[in-house]
Amino acid sequence: MIADKMRELVKNSSAIRAMFEEGKKMAKEYGAENVYDFSLGNPNVPAPPQVKEAILKELEEADSLMLHGYMSNSGYEDVREAVARSLNQRFETAFAQNNIVMTVGAAGGLNVILKTLLNPGDEVLVIAPYFGEYNSYVANYDGKVVVVSPNTETFQPNLKELEEKITEKTKAVIVNSPNNPTGVVYSEETIKQMTAILDRKQKELKTDIYLISDEPYRELAYDGVNVPYLTKYYANTIVAYSFSKSLSLPGERIGYLVIPDQAADGKEIQAAANAATRILGYVNAPSLMQRAVARCLDARADVPYYNRNREVLYNGLKELGFDCIKPQGAFYLFVKSPVEDEKMFCEAAKKHRILLVPGASFACPGYVRIAYCVSYETIVNAMPAFRKLAEEF
Amino acid sequence: MIADKMRELVKNSSAIRAMFEEGKKMAKEYGAENVYDFSLGNPNVPAPPQVKEAILKELEEADSLMLHGYMSNSGYEDVREAVARSLNQRFETAFAQNNIVMTVGAAGGLNVILKTLLNPGDEVLVIAPYFGEYNSYVANYDGKVVVVSPNTETFQPNLKELEEKITEKTKAVIVNSPNNPTGVVYSEETIKQMTAILDRKQKELKTDIYLISDEPYRELAYDGVNVPYLTKYYANTIVAYSFSKSLSLPGERIGYLVIPDQAADGKEIQAAANAATRILGYVNAPSLMQRAVARCLDARADVPYYNRNREVLYNGLKELGFDCIKPQGAFYLFVKSPVEDEKMFCEAAKKHRILLVPGASFACPGYVRIAYCVSYETIVNAMPAFRKLAEEF
């Protein structure tokens, strides 16, 4: 009796859950410390202490009716104001509270903006490798995902193909930098070239093309790398941010959209995003968490911890002969499979109790994703298992 | 550039917001205490103290990674287990954790279950007067709302018309008792007759028809009235519950779905609802709030406060000659407009600084909704204004 569209999606979910269950089963059989589960993007670094302090302060000081009550569907005005101010300080932007819509994480934000923008049949470009959930989000509003194939040299976007695939039906391009699954940060040069293409195509086709920047990993950047703020390069940019990784709050579902006034029909999009938040059943982002994150806009989870994981894992794997680009952000390594069929490689890894995700899940077969948001000990302890795996190939 | 579907919805939102803004403007002009805003279902009774205690306890005792981390898309297993156990104790049901999906409020739950069930063109019956948002929720999944017209004698459902409007395309019936906007509780007799019709029609048409029970007001029931638990009357029942009103947490977005094993394809629906939660971008219900409400399943907001409001307002309006059925639940009165065009009546009320919602918003013109989830003082102070209004008609 379930909807036809859901049938396939449930089947895929079951596959992921099967992996999840297998991990749990292996942990039971061999002991959790002897299973090296690199399959999930679930932070292993706790929320910074400011989060708890902020929640306690709100519980102590705020009126219960305000703290837990309804507010505008777009969020508390003072929270949106605080977010705008923080962005302005950090990125020299000029946002005000009307540019911010508080959302149920970045996933909620992406759904709100896609609901707001897409007519059935509208095309949304995504750049492989990319987070597979974009397929579902775009399908929710009967849009069509158009995949730009991966540039496996640098994992910067394949801009030539991007330009070729823009049509009159292109409503949006989703970018994700620092990137899941590669950890690559799109350079300022990339951004300048990409936005020049979008500007040119907009003029040529007499359309508006929105650049949707999915930024859950913005704060996880290493070696002082610059992560360009895209609204400064292209007027039709919309940002979907999440506190899931920056404050290690993935379960709390809190993030925001930035909708600049400069975007085409910006005011209309702001009003429609407010309505879409309600209509999609979110109603508003969780109220206590809105207020809590507004007090923690400068706080960060322990990024150096991830950085140490990155260094040790990257160097270790390189030494073992694995082929991998050094990531500058997020908490993923995207490693070339020593055999063409990376699923076979994942199966072999599983025999050494190493759990990896095949690149096919990100429209980039031949690679595997290693999520290093695990404990440092897991990485150290996994190295002998990686060594044995390397020897097999 | 916004989606065609969103255009009309934004216009409607703007109308509601205009009312909202007008209320704020009036409060500024005349002082908040001199404006009688009965337009919003926003609780004026604070969360019970157990909520704060529960949050503090979780912050103190729980591991941050668990407390704010990802869990199954359907929610923490122990939270779902606690919800199932509480239901079993209260309603002599036999649910287990797999029957519970934690959701982003009842609005989130309704969207999850409609996404799970509806194919484009499927019909969903709603019983007027009804919460207007159902139109949007059903439209999100390209379903078709079929309205059963109101029975203005008792505001129990018009069962004859319900039966006539069931077709092979009927996938679900949404009921809401205690009802928004009437406050009426559907009696056990009503439920028995309604479910007998559904059973008969299922056999006749060889289909499954799901009864979706939207229950944000379940705990707001007065005079010891019985609010039947619908899974006990009809196998294909799915319950959408919210803690928004029972614990005065509307901004926190926390509720759950009950999907019984006995429902047709129950197991499949449970799996699909888990996937739909993810795909719609909710990912999961807010984590800290899941854990907090699990500690407060027997706590309630101050229901006697609402009851006093109900008595004073109902008796006051009856004395002034207004025509209204006495509500047994929720926090709304649904009053017959003294003139056919209730919008005209609402405009007249506004001149006395009384804000009401026209019945047309609930597919029941000729009536107005008065939300009495306001302070007691607002009700007492509004009575002279209601008297003047009555004298005009």
Side-chain angles (χ1 to χ4, degrees), chain B residues 161-193:
Chain B
E161 189 177 321
L162 175 82
E163 179 157 13
E164 287 164 6
K165 287 194 165 165
I166 292 174
T167 74
E168 282 176 0
K169 289 193 159 182
T170 306
K171 193 64 163 280
V173 178
I174 303 179
V175 293
N176 171 220
S177 163
N179 182 261
N180 174 10
T182 65
V184 162
V185 173
Y186 293 176
S187 68
E188 185 174 34
E189 198 193 326
T190 294
I191 297 303
K192 282 183 174 168
Q193 288 174 3

Side-chain angles (χ1 to χ4, degrees), chain B residues 341-371:
Chain B
D341 179 0
E342 87 277 12
K343 285 177 189 165
M344 196 191 284
F345 179 61
C346 288
E347 283 304 316
K350 213 182 281 171
K351 290 196 183 109
H352 298 278
R353 299 183 220 136
I354 299 173
L355 300 182
L356 310 171
V357 181
S361 301
F362 308 95
C364 189
Y367 289 78
V368 297
R369 189 189 77 172
I370 306 183

Side-chain angles (χ1 to χ4, degrees), chain A residues 1 115 252 265 280 282, chain B residues 1 68 140 252 265 280 282:
Chain A
M1 287 302 291
K115 169 90 175 169
E252 300 295 358
D265 295 327
L280 287 173
Y282 300 113
Chain B
M1 286 304 291
H68 304 301
N140 282 341
E252 300 295 359
D265 294 327
L280 287 172
Y282 300 113

Side-chain angles (χ1 to χ4, degrees), chain A residues 10 62-63 79 93 113 119 127 132 173 175 190 224 236 258 296-297 306 324 335 354 363 384 386 391:
Chain A
V10 172
D63 172 51
V79 168
T93 48
I113 195 63
N119 282 317
I127 297 158
V173 178
V175 294
T190 294
N236 283 343
V258 182
C296 301
L297 294 170
Y306 292 131
C324 175
V335 179
I354 298 172
F386 273 116
E391 282 162 5

Side-chain angles (χ1 to χ4, degrees), chain A residues 11-183:
Chain A
K11 222 186 283 170
N12 293 344
S13 290
S14 303
I16 294 168
R17 197 179 321 157
M19 187 159 77
F20 195 58
E21 294 301 329
E22 197 162 356
K24 281 210 267 185
K25 212 179 103 192
M26 283 169 72
K28 225 176 203 169
E29 196 174 339
Y30 304 108
E33 70 284 5
N34 298 315
V35 177
Y36 315 113
D37 189 346
F38 296 102
S39 65
L40 290 176
N42 199 6
N44 202 268
V45 154
Q50 292 95 322
V51 170
K52 185 174 169 180
E53 284 160 26
I55 296 173
L56 291 175
K57 209 155 182 107
E58 286 292 332
L59 286 173
E60 199 180 303
E61 292 177 5
D63 172 51
S64 162
L65 290 176
M66 189 277 287
L67 185 57
H68 304 301
Y70 286 129
M71 78 301 301
S72 158
N73 301 123
S74 296
Y76 292 104
E77 288 175 13
D78 60 337
V79 168
R80 295 156 70 196
E81 184 65 43
V83 168
R85 215 165 34 230
S86 164
L87 291 173
N88 295 345
Q89 277 166 11
R90 295 174 62 205
F91 305 115
E92 299 175 341
T93 48
F95 299 123
Q97 58 107 342
N98 65 297
N99 299 115
I100 310 297
V101 177
M102 300 305 294
T103 61
V104 173
L110 289 171
N111 273 276
V112 164
I113 195 63
L114 292 170
K115 169 90 175 169
T116 295
L117 292 176
L118 294 188
N119 282 317
D122 278 353
E123 294 176 357
V124 177
L125 263 64
V126 298
I127 297 158
Y130 69 94
F131 182 45
E133 295 287 274
Y134 297 158
N135 294 330
S136 299
Y137 300 164
V138 171
N140 283 340
Y141 313 103
D142 299 312
K144 197 185 147 201
V145 163
V146 176
V147 180
V148 178
S149 59
N151 160 6
T152 54
E153 290 282 312
T154 61
F155 288 109
Q156 297 282 323
N158 185 336
L159 293 178
K160 190 164 166 290
E161 189 176 321
L162 176 82
E163 178 156 16
E164 287 164 5
K165 288 195 164 165
I166 292 174
T167 72
E168 283 176 359
K169 289 193 157 181
T170 305
K171 192 65 164 279
V173 178
I174 302 180
V175 294
N176 172 220
S177 164
N179 183 262
N180 174 9
T182 64

Side-chain angles (χ1 to χ4, degrees), chain B residues 310-347:
Chain B
R310 177 182 74 124
E311 293 287 356
V312 171
L313 186 62
Y314 174 77
N315 292 331
L317 293 182
K318 285 298 269 190
E319 248 173 59
L320 294 174
F322 286 106
D323 183 6
C324 175
I325 201 160
K326 188 168 187 183
Q328 293 185 291
F331 41 44
Y332 305 108
L333 279 184
F334 205 53
V335 179
K336 195 170 188 344
S337 166
V339 287
E340 206 185 318
D341 179 0
E342 87 277 12
K343 285 177 189 165
M344 196 191 284
F345 179 61
C346 288
E347 283 304 316

Side-chain angles (χ1 to χ4, degrees), chain A residues 1-7 9-10 12-14 16-17 20 24 41-47 51-52 55-56 59-60 63-65 67-72 76-77 104-105 107-109 111 114-120 133 136-137 139-142 171 207-210 244-245 248-253 264-265 268-276 278-290, chain B residues 1-7 9-10 12-14 16-17 20 24 41-47 51-52 55-56 59-60 63-65 67-72 76-77 104-105 107-109 111 114-120 133 136-137 139-142 171 207-210 244-245 248-253 264-265 268-276 278-290:
Chain A
M1 287 302 291
I2 69 168
D4 299 333
K5 273 188 191 174
M6 287 304 297
R7 228 162 264 288
L9 293 165
V10 172
N12 293 344
S13 290
S14 303
I16 294 168
R17 197 179 321 157
F20 195 58
K24 281 210 267 185
N42 199 6
N44 202 268
V45 154
V51 170
K52 185 174 169 180
I55 296 173
L56 291 175
L59 286 173
E60 199 180 303
D63 172 51
S64 162
L65 290 176
L67 185 57
H68 304 301
Y70 286 129
M71 78 301 301
S72 158
Y76 292 104
E77 288 175 13
V104 173
N111 273 276
L114 292 170
K115 169 90 175 169
T116 295
L117 292 176
L118 294 188
N119 282 317
E133 295 287 274
S136 299
Y137 300 164
N140 283 340
Y141 313 103
D142 299 312
K171 192 65 164 279
T207 58
D208 283 295
I209 303 169
Y210 293 94
S244 293
K245 274 74 181 187
S248 278
L249 299 174
E252 300 295 358
R253 315 310 304 132
D265 295 327
E268 214 182 344
I269 295 173
Q270 290 159 17
N274 181 74
R278 200 189 78 233
I279 286 163
L280 287 173
Y282 300 113
V283 182
N284 54 251
S287 52
L288 169 60
M289 277 299 148
Q290 281 192 46
Chain B
M1 286 304 291
I2 70 168
D4 300 334
K5 274 189 191 174
M6 287 304 297
R7 228 162 264 288
L9 292 165
V10 172
N12 294 342
S13 290
S14 303
I16 294 168
R17 197 179 322 156
F20 195 58
K24 282 210 267 185
N42 199 5
N44 202 269
V45 154
V51 170
K52 185 173 169 181
I55 296 173
L56 292 175
L59 285 172
E60 198 179 305
D63 172 51
S64 162
L65 290 176
L67 185 58
H68 304 301
Y70 285 130
M71 78 302 299
S72 158
Y76 293 105
E77 287 175 14
V104 172
N111 273 276
L114 291 170
K115 170 89 175 169
T116 295
L117 292 176
L118 294 188
N119 282 317
E133 294 286 273
S136 299
Y137 300 164
N140 282 341
Y141 313 103
D142 300 312
K171 193 64 163 280
T207 58
D208 283 295
I209 303 169
Y210 294 93
S244 293
K245 274 73 180 186
S248 278
L249 300 173
E252 300 295 359
R253 314 310 305 133
D265 294 327
E268 215 181 344
I269 294 173
Q270 289 158 19
N274 182 76
R278 199 189 78 233
I279 287 163
L280 287 172
Y282 300 113
V283 182
N284 54 251
S287 52
L288 169 60
M289 277 299 149
Q290 282 192 46

